[in-house]
Amino acid sequence: MNNPNTVHEVSQLPHEQLKSAQSLMATYWNNTLRLVQALKSSGFKDDQLLTQASPSVSETPGLTGYQAQTLIFNTRLRFNPAVIVMCESTENVAQAYKQAISLNLPIRVRSGGHDHEGECTGTDVILLDLSRLKEFNVKKVNGDYIANIDSGYRFFQVVPKLADNNPPLTIPHGTCATVGLAGFIQGGGWGPWTRSKGMCCESLVGATVVLGNGEVIEVNAEDDIVDANDPSHKKLLWALRGGGALSYGIVTHFKVKAFEIPDEIHRFVINWNTNDEHALSTLELLSQWEDVINNASTDKLVGTNLKINAIAANSQNKPLCHPSTMYGYWQGSWQALEQFVSNHFPNSTPIHQGTDTKANYNSALMGNWSRNSLFDVLKKQKRLGSLANADGTPFTPDFDAPAPHKLTSKVVKGSGLTKNGKEQLIQSLTSDLINAKSSDLGLFSYVTLGAIAGPFYNEISEKEANARVSFPYSKSQYTIQYQTWWNESVELKEQGQNNEVYNYINRAMDWIEVSRETQIEGTEGAFISFKDSAIPTKDYFLGSYEDLMKVKERYSRDPANHLRSRKTII
C-alpha cells in the first residue's frame, strides 16, 4: 500500500513533454535573434552576420553568403549553424563570444575549416569564423625573426608573405595549402620541415587569446605578464603548443619564430610497386625508410613521408608488395640527393618534383604528400585531355580541394615497431574490404607515415621535449595516418549519388574502423590533427593529458565549459 504521506512527482503526459521541449527550442531561437540584434547595435555589419534568412549573395551563383560559408573541408559532413559571425578583429571575437554565452548559446570557432570530424562548426551553434582576421608583420626580436600572424591565414596566403620578406623566410608549415595556421599549430603541426625544424608548435612564442570569460590576454614566452596564478602564462603557452584547439581559449593571433629559406631545396618522390616501377616487398621498403629517418647522417632530408596503398586481400603478391611512394624534401644539391637515394634505397630512382629557392618559395606546398588524387590516376591512364572544368580549363590536381573522407591514426613509439608490429601494419593494408577497381573511380584507401624522428628531436631529451610543448609525441618515430577519400571526377560529381563510386564507400569506411582497432606492436595513442571522434580524447595527449586538464581549469576562466567540442579537454 502506498504511504499517503509520500510525495510523488507527477510526470508530464507525452504531449506536455513535447511542448516543454519545444518551449526550450523557442527560447533558443529567440536568443539567436537577440544575439544578431545586439551585435548589429554594437557595430557589426550585415555581411558579418549570416543566417539562413540572410539575403546576402556569394561569389558562387545559386548560393547565399550563408550557404557558401557552411562548407567545410570534409564534405562528408554537413552542418547548419544558427548564425555565422564573420569576425574582423579580436574585439569582434570577444564581443560575439561574450554575447553568445550571455544568452546561453553554444559556440564553435573556425579558421581554416580542416577539422576532419567537423568540430570547427555544428548545427544550431553560433559559429565564430576567423577567416577575416588578417594582420601580418615580421619583426626582428633579439636576433630572431618573429612573424605576427592572425588566425585567418591559411598557408597558401601566409607562405608567400613570409617569402617576400627580406631575407625570405618561412615557418614549419604543412603540406596542404588550404590548412589554417590556427588549428595546425595547436594540433602540433607536422609537415615537410619536421625532421629539421620540429613540429610547428615548437616555433610558437606568443599568442592573443580570448578566454572563457571573454577577457583578452597576451601570452608571450619572454614577457613577465602580471598574473596572480602564473607571472608569465607559461603553462598556457605550453598548452597552446600542441594541446588541441579551443580548450583553453580562442586564439586570434600567433607569434611564430620564422627561419631563413635555404639556398636550394628539392622536392622529390620515389615510387615502388606501380605498373612501371620495380617490385620491392613492403616489409623491406618500410624497413629501409625507417632506417633513413632514424639515421643521424640523413640530416639533409629535412622532411619525408611514406605513402602505402591498401590492396585487396586476394592479392597474389608473395611477399606482399603494396604500391608505395616516398615523398621527400632535400636541402642541398640534386647530385647529393641522388647519392643519398643510391646509398639507402638501392636500385631506386628519385623523380624531381621541383626546386625551391629564396626567389621562388611560394604557396604550391606539397598537397600530394598527404592525399591521393584522381588527377594522378588520370595522368597514369593518360586521360587528362578528356576532362575539363566547366569553363573549359584543364582538369587540375585536387590535392587541396574539399572532399569527403574519413581518417584515423596511430603513432610509432621512439623504440619503433617490433617485427610483429611491422607485419601487423602491412596486414592492415591488405583487406577484403578494399576493392581493386576503387582507385580508378577516385576512391583511395592508404596510409601515410609522417617522419618525426630527425636532427631536431635527436638533440633533446624526452623530459626537455615534454617541458617545452604539450604535443606528446616529440620523441616518436613517425605518425601512421589511415585515410580513405573519394575524389570523383567533375563529371561524376555532377551525378551526385548516381555514380559507381558509392558502391564501395561503406566498405572503405569499414576498413578505417577495422584499422583503428588493429593492434600494432610499437604504437601508442593517436594524432589530434588526424581527428577520429571514436578515439578517446586522452589517447591523443597521453602524458600531457592530466596537465592539460589543469591548464584548462586554471587559465581558461570557463567554469561552464563553453569552450568545448567532442575532443576538447575535460
Side-chain angles (χ1 to χ4, degrees):
M1 178 181 290
N2 291 332
N3 186 337
N5 296 320
T6 302
V7 177
H8 292 281
E9 183 177 333
V10 179
S11 298
Q12 291 179 313
L13 294 173
H15 182 65
E16 292 171 336
Q17 293 172 339
L18 176 62
K19 287 174 64 177
S20 295
Q22 290 172 335
S23 177
L24 290 174
M25 288 180 62
T27 299
Y28 167 82
W29 285 110
N30 182 58
N31 283 347
T32 65
L33 293 175
R34 292 172 62 193
L35 172 80
V36 171
Q37 292 167 355
L39 293 181
K40 282 185 177 181
S41 297
S42 62
F44 281 72
K45 303 184 293 292
D46 286 344
D47 72 342
Q48 288 184 264
L49 301 167
L50 306 177
T51 69
Q52 294 192 49
S54 298
S56 61
V57 296
S58 73
E59 296 178 353
T60 304
L63 289 183
T64 66
Y66 170 84
Q67 291 168 334
Q69 288 295 335
T70 61
L71 180 71
I72 59 174
F73 186 65
N74 188 353
T75 57
R76 179 175 65 85
L77 307 170
R78 297 293 175 92
F79 300 98
N80 292 294
V83 185
I84 303 176
V85 184
M86 306 298 295
C87 301
E88 296 181 349
S89 66
T90 296
E91 292 72 24
N92 273 181
V93 175
Q95 197 171 4
Y97 171 73
K98 285 191 290 187
Q99 190 66 50
I101 64 172
S102 73
L103 294 167
N104 199 25
L105 296 170
I107 65 108
R108 291 288 187 276
V109 181
R110 179 178 69 189
S111 55
H114 272 250
D115 187 299
H116 295 294
E117 287 287 3
E119 291 188 11
C120 55
T121 184
T123 292
D124 296 344
V125 301
I126 309 304
L127 174 58
L128 307 183
D129 184 285
L130 310 187
S131 62
R132 294 186 184 179
L133 274 63
K134 285 292 196 295
E135 180 185 333
F136 173 90
N137 64 69
V138 176
K139 296 180 180 178
K140 198 166 186 179
V141 181
N142 298 325
D144 292 324
Y145 292 100
I146 305 300
N148 294 281
I149 309 170
D150 267 2
S151 292
Y153 275 102
R154 303 186 186 198
F155 285 125
F156 76 90
Q157 298 163 326
V158 76
V159 167
K161 279 183 170 290
L162 287 163
D164 283 344
N165 192 75
N166 185 18
L169 303 171
T170 195
I171 59 176
H173 56 72
T175 57
C176 180
T178 57
V179 163
L181 176 66
F184 179 78
I185 202 167
Q186 291 178 89
W190 184 90
W193 289 99
T194 295
R195 295 192 75 232
S196 174
K197 302 295 182 182
M199 306 291 284
C200 193
C201 63
E202 299 278 359
S203 300
L204 180 64
V205 297
T208 302
V209 186
V210 179
L211 298 178
N213 62 358
E215 178 188 356
V216 179
I217 65 167
E218 297 292 332
V219 181
N220 290 284
E222 305 301 329
D223 290 353
D224 291 327
I225 301 175
V226 178
D227 184 290
N229 294 321
D230 181 350
S232 61
H233 296 306
K234 286 186 178 178
K235 270 295 185 179
L236 179 55
L237 182 62
W238 173 84
L240 297 178
R241 290 170 168 166
L246 187 61
S247 291
Y248 325 99
I250 304 169
V251 184
T252 61
H253 184 82
F254 295 88
K255 295 182 178 181
V256 187
K257 186 182 294 185
F259 59 91
E260 194 168 344
I261 296 170
D263 292 328
E264 184 180 9
I265 326 159
H266 296 281
R267 286 173 274 127
F268 71 94
V269 300
I270 308 173
N271 293 313
W272 293 274
N273 306 329
T274 58
N275 293 334
D276 53 353
E277 302 290 342
H278 72 276
L280 182 69
S281 77
T282 310
L283 179 60
E284 184 177 357
L285 169 59
L286 176 60
S287 298
Q288 288 179 357
W289 185 80
E290 287 180 335
D291 289 344
V292 162
I293 67 170
N294 291 302
N295 189 327
S297 69
T298 60
D299 57 307
K300 296 299 182 184
L301 184 67
V302 299
T304 177
N305 77 4
L306 179 65
K307 184 182 294 178
I308 307 175
N309 287 354
I311 60 176
N314 59 5
S315 172
Q316 300 303 308
N317 294 338
K318 297 293 181 181
L320 290 169
C321 297
H322 296 73
S324 304
T325 301
M326 173 185 174
Y327 297 91
Y329 208 33
W330 178 267
Q331 181 177 340
S333 70
W334 182 256
Q335 291 74 21
L337 169 59
E338 289 182 315
Q339 186 60 54
F340 158 80
V341 172
S342 177
N343 292 342
H344 296 281
F345 301 98
N347 304 314
S348 301
T349 304
I351 300 172
H352 191 253
Q353 285 200 311
T355 300
D356 294 320
T357 67
K358 296 177 186 293
N360 73 347
Y361 206 89
N362 58 43
S363 60
L365 303 188
M366 299 95 166
N368 59 333
W369 278 42
S370 55
R371 176 173 161 191
N372 276 359
S373 167
L374 186 65
F375 179 83
D376 280 340
V377 173
L378 298 172
K379 184 169 64 176
K380 285 185 178 180
Q381 297 174 350
K382 303 189 185 304
R383 290 169 47 206
L384 280 176
S386 65
L387 284 179
N389 292 308
D391 61 358
T393 58
F395 183 67
T396 56
D398 52 354
F399 301 125
D400 300 321
H405 60 278
K406 176 67 178 176
L407 309 179
T408 198
S409 66
K410 303 177 187 292
V411 183
V412 175
K413 298 177 183 178
S415 55
L417 296 182
T418 65
K419 183 177 183 297
N420 190 42
K422 292 180 184 180
E423 292 173 349
Q424 290 169 326
L425 171 59
I426 293 168
Q427 283 300 322
S428 73
L429 292 164
T430 313
S431 172
D432 57 9
L433 294 169
I434 302 298
N435 190 285
K437 67 183 293 185
S438 296
S439 61
D440 289 341
L441 300 171
L443 171 62
F444 305 98
S445 301
Y446 52 94
V447 295
T448 53
L449 314 180
I452 296 175
F456 185 89
Y457 289 114
N458 289 346
E459 296 174 359
I460 60 174
S461 68
E462 185 169 5
K463 183 177 180 180
E464 290 174 305
N466 293 341
R468 190 165 60 199
V469 299
S470 54
F471 177 73
Y473 301 107
S474 300
K475 298 296 287 183
S476 300
Q477 286 194 14
Y478 55 92
T479 63
I480 301 175
Q481 181 182 8
Y482 287 90
Q483 310 187 51
T484 191
W485 297 74
W486 41 110
N487 305 282
E488 312 98 327
S489 71
V490 174
E491 294 171 335
L492 290 179
K493 283 177 181 176
E494 291 177 349
Q495 295 176 13
Q497 295 291 323
N498 297 321
N499 69 70
E500 195 178 351
V501 75
Y502 285 96
N503 290 328
Y504 306 100
I505 288 172
N506 279 353
R507 278 175 283 177
M509 295 276 283
D510 287 345
W511 174 73
I512 291 286
E513 304 283 341
V514 171
S515 298
R516 179 199 305 124
E517 303 305 319
T518 298
Q519 298 299 309
I520 299 179
E521 291 180 6
T523 65
E524 61 179 350
F527 187 16
I528 191 65
S529 289
F530 307 149
K531 192 180 292 180
D532 177 350
S533 61
I535 292 176
T537 305
K538 187 175 182 178
D539 287 2
Y540 284 116
F541 301 107
L542 296 187
S544 297
Y545 184 67
E546 298 297 326
D547 283 339
L548 288 172
M549 289 178 65
K550 293 175 183 176
V551 169
K552 178 158 187 174
E553 291 172 335
R554 182 175 179 181
Y555 295 94
S556 67
R557 320 256 173 97
D558 184 27
N561 202 17
H562 296 289
L563 300 170
R564 72 182 187 275
S565 65
R566 180 66 184 89
K567 290 293 138 188
T568 46
I569 300 296
I570 302 181

Coordinates of all heavy atoms in Angstrom, one line a residue, residues 268-299:
F268 N 61.1 15.7 -54.0 CA 61.3 14.5 -54.9 C 60.3 13.4 -54.4 O 59.8 13.4 -53.3 CB 62.7 14.0 -54.8 CG 63.1 13.4 -53.5 CD1 63.1 12.0 -53.3 CD2 63.6 14.2 -52.5 CE1 63.4 11.5 -52.1 CE2 64.0 13.7 -51.2 CZ 63.9 12.3 -51.1
V269 N 60.1 12.4 -55.3 CA 59.4 11.2 -55.0 C 60.1 10.0 -55.5 O 60.9 10.1 -56.4 CB 57.9 11.2 -55.6 CG1 57.1 12.4 -55.1 CG2 58.0 11.2 -57.1
I270 N 59.9 8.9 -54.8 CA 60.4 7.6 -55.3 C 59.2 6.6 -55.3 O 58.5 6.5 -54.3 CB 61.5 7.0 -54.4 CG1 62.6 8.0 -54.2 CG2 62.0 5.7 -55.1 CD1 63.7 7.6 -53.2
N271 N 58.9 6.0 -56.4 CA 57.8 5.0 -56.5 C 58.2 3.6 -56.5 O 59.3 3.2 -57.0 CB 57.0 5.3 -57.8 CG 56.3 6.6 -57.8 OD1 55.7 7.0 -56.9 ND2 56.5 7.4 -58.9
W272 N 57.5 2.8 -55.8 CA 57.7 1.3 -55.8 C 56.4 0.6 -56.1 O 55.3 1.0 -55.7 CB 58.2 0.8 -54.5 CG 59.6 1.3 -54.1 CD1 60.8 0.8 -54.4 CD2 59.9 2.5 -53.3 NE1 61.8 1.5 -53.9 CE2 61.3 2.6 -53.2 CE3 59.1 3.4 -52.7 CZ2 61.9 3.6 -52.5 CZ3 59.7 4.4 -51.9 CH2 61.1 4.5 -51.9
N273 N 56.5 -0.5 -56.8 CA 55.4 -1.5 -57.0 C 54.2 -0.9 -57.7 O 53.1 -1.3 -57.6 CB 54.9 -2.0 -55.6 CG 56.0 -2.6 -54.8 OD1 57.0 -3.1 -55.3 ND2 55.9 -2.5 -53.5
T274 N 54.5 0.1 -58.6 CA 53.5 0.5 -59.5 C 53.7 -0.2 -60.9 O 54.7 -1.0 -61.0 CB 53.5 2.0 -59.7 OG1 54.9 2.4 -60.2 CG2 53.3 2.8 -58.4
N275 N 52.8 0.0 -61.8 CA 52.9 -0.8 -63.1 C 54.2 -0.6 -63.8 O 54.7 -1.5 -64.5 CB 51.8 -0.4 -64.0 CG 50.4 -0.9 -63.4 OD1 50.4 -1.8 -62.7 ND2 49.4 -0.2 -63.8
D276 N 54.8 0.6 -63.6 CA 56.0 0.9 -64.4 C 57.3 1.0 -63.5 O 58.3 1.6 -63.9 CB 55.8 2.2 -65.2 CG 55.4 3.4 -64.3 OD1 55.1 3.1 -63.1 OD2 55.3 4.5 -64.8
E277 N 57.2 0.5 -62.3 CA 58.3 0.6 -61.4 C 58.7 -0.8 -60.9 O 57.8 -1.7 -60.9 CB 58.0 1.5 -60.2 CG 57.7 2.9 -60.6 CD 58.8 3.7 -61.2 OE1 60.0 3.3 -61.0 OE2 58.6 4.7 -61.9
H278 N 59.9 -1.0 -60.4 CA 60.4 -2.3 -60.0 C 59.7 -2.7 -58.7 O 59.3 -1.8 -57.9 CB 61.9 -2.3 -59.8 CG 62.4 -1.6 -58.6 ND1 62.6 -0.2 -58.6 CD2 62.7 -2.0 -57.3 CE1 63.0 0.2 -57.4 NE2 63.0 -0.8 -56.6
A279 N 59.5 -4.0 -58.4 CA 58.9 -4.5 -57.2 C 59.8 -4.6 -56.0 O 61.0 -4.8 -56.2 CB 58.3 -5.9 -57.5
L280 N 59.3 -4.3 -54.9 CA 60.0 -4.4 -53.6 C 59.0 -4.7 -52.5 O 58.0 -4.1 -52.5 CB 60.7 -3.0 -53.3 CG 61.6 -3.0 -52.0 CD1 62.8 -3.8 -52.2 CD2 61.9 -1.5 -51.7
S281 N 59.4 -5.7 -51.7 CA 58.4 -6.1 -50.7 C 58.2 -4.9 -49.7 O 59.1 -4.1 -49.4 CB 59.0 -7.3 -49.9 OG 60.0 -6.9 -48.9
T282 N 56.9 -4.8 -49.3 CA 56.5 -3.7 -48.4 C 57.3 -3.7 -47.1 O 57.7 -2.7 -46.6 CB 55.0 -3.7 -48.1 OG1 54.3 -3.9 -49.4 CG2 54.6 -2.5 -47.5
L283 N 57.6 -4.9 -46.6 CA 58.4 -5.0 -45.4 C 59.8 -4.5 -45.6 O 60.3 -3.7 -44.7 CB 58.4 -6.5 -45.0 CG 59.2 -6.8 -43.7 CD1 58.6 -6.0 -42.5 CD2 59.2 -8.3 -43.4
E284 N 60.4 -4.8 -46.7 CA 61.8 -4.3 -46.9 C 61.7 -2.8 -47.1 O 62.6 -2.1 -46.6 CB 62.3 -5.0 -48.2 CG 63.8 -4.6 -48.5 CD 64.4 -5.3 -49.7 OE1 63.7 -6.2 -50.2 OE2 65.5 -5.0 -50.0
L285 N 60.8 -2.3 -47.9 CA 60.7 -0.9 -48.1 C 60.5 -0.1 -46.8 O 61.1 0.9 -46.5 CB 59.5 -0.6 -49.1 CG 59.1 0.9 -49.2 CD1 60.2 1.8 -49.7 CD2 57.9 1.0 -50.1
L286 N 59.5 -0.6 -45.9 CA 59.3 0.0 -44.7 C 60.5 0.1 -43.8 O 60.8 1.1 -43.2 CB 58.1 -0.7 -43.9 CG 57.8 -0.2 -42.5 CD1 57.3 1.2 -42.6 CD2 56.7 -1.1 -41.9
S287 N 61.3 -1.0 -43.8 CA 62.5 -1.1 -43.0 C 63.5 -0.1 -43.5 O 64.2 0.6 -42.7 CB 63.0 -2.5 -43.0 OG 62.1 -3.4 -42.4
Q288 N 63.7 0.0 -44.8 CA 64.6 1.0 -45.4 C 64.2 2.4 -45.0 O 65.1 3.2 -44.6 CB 64.6 0.8 -46.9 CG 65.3 -0.4 -47.4 CD 65.3 -0.5 -49.0 OE1 64.7 0.3 -49.6 NE2 65.9 -1.6 -49.5
W289 N 63.0 2.7 -45.1 CA 62.5 4.1 -44.8 C 62.7 4.4 -43.3 O 63.2 5.5 -43.0 CB 61.1 4.3 -45.2 CG 60.5 5.7 -45.0 CD1 60.7 6.7 -45.9 CD2 59.7 6.1 -44.0 NE1 60.0 7.8 -45.4 CE2 59.4 7.5 -44.2 CE3 59.2 5.5 -42.8 CZ2 58.7 8.3 -43.3 CZ3 58.4 6.3 -41.9 CH2 58.2 7.6 -42.2
E290 N 62.4 3.4 -42.5 CA 62.6 3.6 -41.0 C 64.1 3.8 -40.7 O 64.5 4.7 -39.9 CB 62.1 2.4 -40.3 CG 60.6 2.3 -40.2 CD 60.2 1.1 -39.4 OE1 61.0 0.1 -39.3 OE2 59.1 1.1 -38.8
D291 N 65.0 3.1 -41.4 CA 66.4 3.2 -41.2 C 66.9 4.6 -41.5 O 67.7 5.2 -40.9 CB 67.2 2.2 -42.0 CG 67.0 0.8 -41.5 OD1 66.6 0.6 -40.3 OD2 67.4 -0.2 -42.2
V292 N 66.3 5.2 -42.6 CA 66.7 6.5 -43.0 C 66.3 7.6 -42.0 O 67.1 8.5 -41.7 CB 66.0 6.9 -44.4 CG1 66.0 8.4 -44.7 CG2 66.8 6.1 -45.5
I293 N 65.1 7.6 -41.5 CA 64.6 8.6 -40.6 C 65.3 8.5 -39.3 O 65.4 9.5 -38.5 CB 63.1 8.7 -40.5 CG1 62.5 7.5 -39.8 CG2 62.4 8.9 -41.8 CD1 61.1 7.6 -39.4
N294 N 65.8 7.4 -38.9 CA 66.5 7.2 -37.6 C 68.0 7.3 -37.7 O 68.7 7.1 -36.8 CB 66.1 5.8 -37.0 CG 64.6 5.8 -36.6 OD1 64.2 6.6 -35.8 ND2 63.9 4.9 -37.2
N295 N 68.5 7.6 -38.9 CA 69.9 7.7 -39.2 C 70.4 9.1 -39.0 O 69.9 10.1 -39.6 CB 70.2 7.2 -40.6 CG 71.7 7.1 -40.9 OD1 72.5 7.8 -40.4 ND2 72.0 6.1 -41.7
A296 N 71.4 9.3 -38.1 CA 71.8 10.7 -37.8 C 72.5 11.3 -39.0 O 72.7 12.6 -39.0 CB 72.8 10.6 -36.6
S297 N 73.0 10.6 -40.0 CA 73.7 11.1 -41.1 C 72.8 11.6 -42.2 O 73.2 12.1 -43.2 CB 74.6 10.1 -41.7 OG 73.9 9.0 -42.3
T298 N 71.4 11.5 -42.0 CA 70.5 11.9 -43.1 C 69.9 13.3 -42.8 O 68.7 13.5 -43.1 CB 69.4 10.9 -43.2 OG1 68.7 10.7 -42.0 CG2 70.0 9.5 -43.6
D299 N 70.6 14.2 -42.2 CA 70.1 15.5 -41.8 C 69.7 16.4 -42.9 O 68.9 17.3 -42.7 CB 71.1 16.2 -40.9 CG 72.4 16.4 -41.6 OD1 73.0 15.4 -42.1 OD2 72.9 17.6 -41.6

